[in-house]
């Protein structure tokens, strides 16, 4: 008989950057097609269509003081705290 391995998720964590960037930030940008030609619609129309399709109204940007491993470490700290698991026993 084979042994069954099981996992149980007891905590989770995430990191949400504080810097919010609204879609209006892109109002001065020129959006282009795959060939690099500007799209025929206005920037406002392009942004509105993007919001209608994705529902994304803002982004969260990480500051220049953090790299991917920093973000992962912050999320891991939150996961450990929410799980109640001692980091040394993990």
């Amino acid at each position: 008989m084979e042994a069954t391995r099981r996992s149980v998720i007891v905590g989770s964590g995430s990191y949400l950057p504080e810097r919010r960037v609204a879609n209006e930030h892109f109002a001065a940008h020129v959006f282009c097609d795959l060939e690099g030609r500007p799209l025929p619609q206005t920037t406002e129309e392009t942004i509105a269509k993007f919001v209608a399709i994705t529902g994304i109204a803002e982004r969260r940007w990480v500051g220049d003081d953090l790299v991917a491993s920093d973000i992962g470490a912050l999320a891991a700290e939150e996961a450990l705290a929410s799980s109640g698991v001692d980091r040394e026993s993990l």
Side-chain angles (χ1 to χ4, degrees):
M1 179 182 218
E2 287 187 41
T4 303
R5 294 180 187 226
R6 297 176 192 250
S7 296
V8 177
I9 297 173
V10 295
S12 65
S14 61
Y15 173 74
L16 186 62
E18 292 181 22
R19 183 175 175 201
R20 294 174 183 235
V21 180
N23 285 341
E24 291 76 27
H25 171 81
F26 301 97
H29 292 276
V30 175
F31 293 97
C32 299
D33 62 19
L34 294 175
E35 283 77 39
R37 295 181 302 250
L39 295 175
Q41 37 303 45
T42 67
T43 300
E44 293 78 17
E45 291 170 327
T46 302
I47 292 171
K49 184 173 181 179
F50 181 78
V51 172
I53 293 170
T54 66
I56 296 172
E58 71 176 16
R59 289 132 192 87
R60 297 291 187 113
W61 286 359
V62 175
D64 292 337
D65 59 325
L66 297 175
V67 296
S69 58
D70 296 328
I71 297 165
L74 292 167
E77 289 290 338
E78 187 178 299
L80 282 170
S82 75
S83 72
V85 174
D86 174 54
R87 70 176 59 247
E88 297 301 322
S89 67
L90 186 61

